[in-house]
Amino acid sequence: QGTLPCGNSLAPVAAPGPVHAHNSAPANHGTRRAKLCAETAPLCPGKAVQHSKSSLGALTLGAIGVVYGDIGTSVLYSVKEVFGSGHVPFTQANVYGILSLLFWTLTFIVSLKYVVLVLRADNHGEGGLVAMLALASQAVKERPRLRQVLLMVGIFGACLFYGDGVITPAITVLGAVEGLEVVSPGWSEAVIPLTLLILLGLFVVQKHGTASIGRFFGPVMTLWFVVIAALGVVQIASHPEILWALSPHYALDFMVANPKVSFILLGAVVLCVTGSEALYADMGHFGKQPIRLAWFSVAMPALTLNYFGQGALLLEDPQAVKNPFYMLAPDWALVPLVLLATAAAVIASQALITGAFSVTKQVIQLGYLPRLRVEHTNVRETGQIYLPFVNWSLFVAIVLAVVLFRSSSNLAAAYGIAVTLDMLITTILTFFVLRYHWRYPWWLCLGATGCFFLVDLAFFSSNMLKLLHGGWFPLVIAGSVFVLMVTWKRGRALLHDKRQSESMDLRDFLTAVWASPPVRVEGTAVFLTAEPGVVPNALLHNLKHNKVLHAHNLFVTVHHHEVPWIGMNKRLEIEPLGGDCWQVTVHYGFKNDPDLPRALQLMRGRGCELEPMSTSYFLSRDVVTPSLASGMAPWREKLFAQMHHNASGAADFLHLPSNAVVELGSKVEI
């Protein structure tokens, strides 16, 4: 394995202890130190970042703004969709039963599953489906078939995130703007254009980053939760007996009395927990304690009070079912409430969009998507990134969703399938983490995840009833992205096999070169190669055309690992080859920001001083052409060739200086 600059063995590769850093959220107190800890592991040996009382308050406020934006805006449409379906008559028993069902869905799925159980499954301090997938796949690495199945399941779960990422901004912004129809029916024609205008503005500002507006997320969402709680309290005060619905027996009685209707309504009830995956995904940025504190002290009480307030209003006035949330407010407060709801919807969408940037970057570094252009929007926070292709692809899909469905009620029919399937996949991966990573006994693992699995399965099965009524839309998006991912992964494997079959051993080649050495010129040449120990095509072309060899030569392979972070003390693996040549392997976690020149500065003191003005980076630019040989279906080979052609260059991805890069092309058939 060789040694590292600090003398530590690399095997096994591991991230340097828990850290709190995230790629998808705005700037936040404590994040900068966490990033520094992740990059300089010897300074922070395996210790998690501890939050002081002051930073705990700031992190909790940030969690309210970022983590709970989606679930916080579900009050706009959840009750309306449950009662507006026409399946539930407005009787006291039915209203109590539905409210109890909403409350205990929040309690069971969010409080117990995510806050209590899933938040414990951190991958070196990081959360989210990709982090869970990496943890589960590592846990079963001795079972290759099972590992492959889990990888496919987990990657499809990541693809579902994009389906959710299209529906969530559409339904939240549209649901907020529909409040104008309550203010005046004459505004109904303006709802769609105004929604599209707000969404356009939201996506235009993405390139500027979230640092400038992120500081307002927490205060705005806190105000939102205070307002929705107050609206609920005012209505509950007129009907305090509605609080009896907190008892679970009302939900059980309703389901026993109406089993078929209950199953159908689960597809609408689940709308109250959309966004719960954000609890886990944002753990790396805020930490477990702030997320738990924000949920139990602010988000859940406010949501409960508002849902029960809407229920009390419906008992008093069944006609309010057309929009029970806005009907809670007095007439004078409607316009300010629409503005506040729109701001909350934008925040919910913003968190999901930046999450899509983060997930895409992680999936790229796991090898399931080609390189895309990544722009850093903050010089101090590497996690704040902007991917133009992802940004505008999401925008086009969201505009299509708004124009196609035209109302939040219609979008609700499409909403839920992707979310519940993601929840189901999270539960499955959690089982494998409990069983194979934490080594708990079978009965405990099944007991801890079995109940959640059955509940998630019930919600997913109910949502499948929506398949022909719009549920196909997010599944088509997820399926399309999944095809791209598995095609890219398989194509890369075929490309690797082709290179290996035609490759030459690097040591043997250098031995032959030393027998009749070419002219040596000053400076350092860095040759990038996909596999260590193999002669790079760029070296062959350089010797063939230029007939020179640099004074110092580095043969560099970049490896991305299934851990979030790899510290600078484990960044390089160096092997001398003689003749002032070195084999260098550079290691990154899937949340590290690849910066090859910075990593190679660790070569100083090892016989190779890299001076920026005298260092050249040689890259092989392969042109992939499909062939009739067995590998993939012809259409997939053509798709892979097109993806490979459109992939962002390695120079941009690795932060190579543009004036020091030499690309030499070659044609490869797969």
Side-chain angles (χ1 to χ4, degrees):
Q1 289 287 341
T3 58
L4 306 170
C6 59
N8 296 331
S9 173
L10 183 70
V13 176
V19 294
H20 296 301
H22 191 56
N23 279 342
S24 63
N28 196 282
H29 298 293
T31 307
R32 196 173 308 145
R33 181 176 182 272
K35 297 268 186 202
L36 181 63
C37 184
E39 289 295 313
T40 57
L43 304 179
C44 310
K47 293 183 180 179
V49 178
Q50 299 297 323
H51 304 302
S52 65
K53 290 183 178 179
S54 59
S55 67
L56 177 62
L59 287 169
T60 302
L61 182 63
I64 293 171
V66 174
V67 177
Y68 297 110
D70 190 359
I71 199 169
T73 53
S74 61
V75 294
L76 289 167
Y77 44 79
S78 296
V79 173
K80 179 176 71 171
E81 296 310 316
V82 173
F83 287 101
S85 63
H87 295 293
V88 186
F90 286 101
T91 65
Q92 180 173 312
N94 287 344
V95 172
Y96 278 34
I98 293 298
L99 291 179
S100 183
L101 199 56
L102 289 168
F103 174 77
W104 286 101
T105 298
L106 284 171
T107 300
F108 192 78
I109 291 181
V110 182
S111 300
L112 296 180
K113 177 184 171 181
Y114 282 96
V115 176
V116 175
L117 177 62
V118 175
L119 279 184
R120 297 186 65 235
D122 67 290
N123 190 339
H124 299 285
E126 293 295 331
L129 195 58
V130 175
M132 174 77 84
L133 171 61
L135 204 61
S137 65
Q138 283 182 314
V140 297
K141 61 184 177 182
E142 304 300 329
R143 298 171 171 82
R145 289 187 178 180
L146 176 59
R147 182 176 183 272
Q148 188 62 31
V149 170
L150 287 182
L151 281 171
M152 289 298 99
V153 170
I155 288 298
F156 186 69
C159 295
L160 288 167
F161 181 86
Y162 295 97
D164 186 25
V166 170
I167 300 294
T168 295
I171 194 173
T172 51
V173 176
L174 195 53
V177 177
E178 283 173 348
L180 292 174
E181 296 176 333
V182 179
V183 176
S184 172
W187 282 95
S188 58
E189 294 297 322
V191 169
I192 298 296
L194 187 56
T195 297
L196 294 177
L197 187 62
I198 292 170
L199 288 169
L200 176 62
L202 176 62
F203 280 89
V204 166
V205 302
Q206 293 303 312
K207 62 183 178 181
H208 301 295
T210 57
S212 58
I213 58 175
R215 64 176 65 97
F216 300 110
F217 283 10
V220 170
M221 287 307 301
T222 300
L223 176 62
W224 169 256
F225 282 119
V226 169
V227 168
I228 66 173
L231 291 173
V233 166
V234 170
Q235 194 63 43
I236 291 171
S238 303
H239 305 277
E241 65 277 3
I242 198 75
L243 293 177
W244 286 111
L246 289 170
S247 173
H249 87 271
Y250 286 102
L252 294 174
D253 289 347
F254 177 82
M255 289 188 290
V256 170
N258 310 277
K260 184 177 179 180
V261 171
S262 298
F263 178 73
I264 295 172
L265 287 179
L266 287 179
V269 170
V270 77
L271 295 174
C272 75
V273 294
T274 55
S276 53
E277 282 284 336
L279 288 168
Y280 184 41
D282 288 309
M283 175 174 61
H285 188 76
F286 298 102
K288 302 174 187 178
Q289 188 178 0
I291 289 175
R292 287 170 173 158
L293 184 60
W295 172 250
F296 287 115
S297 65
V298 177
M300 186 175 182
L303 291 172
T304 301
L305 289 170
N306 192 267
Y307 283 133
F308 277 66
Q310 291 187 51
L313 175 64
L314 290 175
L315 281 178
E316 181 181 299
D317 180 16
Q319 297 301 317
V321 72
K322 61 182 180 180
N323 205 320
F325 173 78
Y326 282 110
M327 298 292 280
L328 284 174
D331 292 341
W332 61 266
L334 277 175
V335 174
L337 185 59
V338 170
L339 295 176
L340 180 59
T342 303
V346 167
I347 290 172
S349 304
Q350 174 66 60
L352 196 141
I353 293 165
T354 50
F357 296 158
S358 176
V359 168
T360 302
K361 181 186 174 187
Q362 294 172 24
V363 170
I364 289 171
Q365 296 188 189
L366 286 177
Y368 283 90
L369 279 178
R371 294 183 298 267
L372 298 174
R373 184 159 64 94
V374 178
E375 297 179 9
H376 291 265
T377 59
N378 190 310
V379 296
R380 293 177 296 182
E381 299 292 342
T382 60
Q384 292 187 25
I385 57 175
Y386 168 67
L387 282 75
F389 178 79
V390 176
N391 185 70
W392 294 111
S393 296
L394 275 178
F395 176 71
V396 170
I398 290 170
V399 169
L400 181 63
V402 171
V403 173
L404 186 64
F405 292 95
R406 304 195 66 82
S407 74
S408 61
S409 294
N410 293 337
L411 276 167
Y415 207 16
I417 290 183
V419 175
T420 52
L421 190 51
D422 244 352
M423 289 162 49
L424 194 61
I425 289 172
T426 298
T427 301
I428 293 170
L429 294 179
T430 302
F431 168 80
F432 286 98
V433 171
L434 289 173
R435 175 59 184 150
Y436 295 103
H437 184 68
W438 293 343
R439 305 290 183 182
Y440 285 126
W442 277 98
W443 63 269
L444 183 59
C445 299
L446 287 173
T449 60
C451 293
F452 296 125
F453 178 84
L454 293 175
V455 171
D456 292 339
L457 184 61
F459 278 113
F460 173 66
S461 301
S462 176
N463 275 277
M464 284 301 291
L465 298 175
K466 304 177 181 180
L467 186 62
L468 300 179
H469 302 283
W472 55 268
F473 187 74
L475 290 183
V476 166
I477 294 173
S480 301
V481 177
F482 184 73
V483 168
L484 292 176
M485 287 189 182
V486 295
T487 298
W488 179 256
K489 188 70 171 180
R490 177 59 180 158
R492 292 291 295 174
L494 293 173
L495 191 59
H496 171 266
D497 293 342
K498 182 69 173 180
R499 286 170 174 163
Q500 285 291 92
S501 66
E502 300 176 351
S503 65
M504 292 183 286
D505 181 77
L506 181 59
R507 283 186 178 274
D508 293 342
F509 179 80
L510 290 177
T511 300
V513 169
W514 304 146
S516 180
V519 176
R520 304 293 289 264
V521 297
E522 292 297 321
T524 301
V526 178
F527 294 94
L528 270 73
T529 175
E531 291 293 328
V534 173
V535 179
N537 284 335
L539 173 61
L540 295 175
H541 288 299
N542 188 49
L543 287 173
K544 177 181 177 181
H545 297 291
N546 299 324
K547 298 179 174 57
V548 297
L549 196 65
H550 284 70
H552 299 88
N553 296 275
L554 304 181
F555 303 96
V556 177
T557 300
V558 177
H559 276 179
H560 293 281
H561 296 267
E562 294 177 359
V563 293
W565 303 102
I566 291 178
M568 294 296 283
N569 70 320
K570 297 182 179 180
R571 180 71 75 230
L572 295 188
E573 184 181 353
I574 305 166
E575 182 183 358
L577 300 174
D580 289 324
C581 297
W582 293 266
Q583 175 72 61
V584 181
T585 305
V586 187
H587 300 277
Y588 291 107
F590 61 77
K591 299 200 76 173
N592 284 123
D593 187 36
D595 190 334
L596 187 59
R598 181 188 176 195
L600 293 181
Q601 289 302 313
L602 296 173
M603 292 288 293
R604 290 186 178 275
R606 302 296 297 269
C608 182
E609 306 291 331
L610 271 75
E611 297 297 335
M613 296 302 296
S614 60
T615 300
S616 299
Y617 297 87
F618 290 84
L619 284 67
S620 298
R621 184 73 173 185
D622 296 324
V623 177
V624 176
T625 58
S627 69
L628 298 178
S630 61
M632 292 189 292
W635 68 269
R636 290 184 68 192
E637 289 189 355
K638 292 178 181 178
L639 176 61
F640 173 74
Q642 191 62 39
M643 293 172 71
H644 192 275
H645 175 73
N646 292 328
S648 174
D652 293 333
F653 187 71
L654 297 173
H655 290 84
L656 304 183
S658 58
N659 60 350
V661 174
V662 180
E663 285 194 329
L664 300 169
S666 61
K667 182 178 289 187
V668 181
E669 286 190 356
I670 59 170

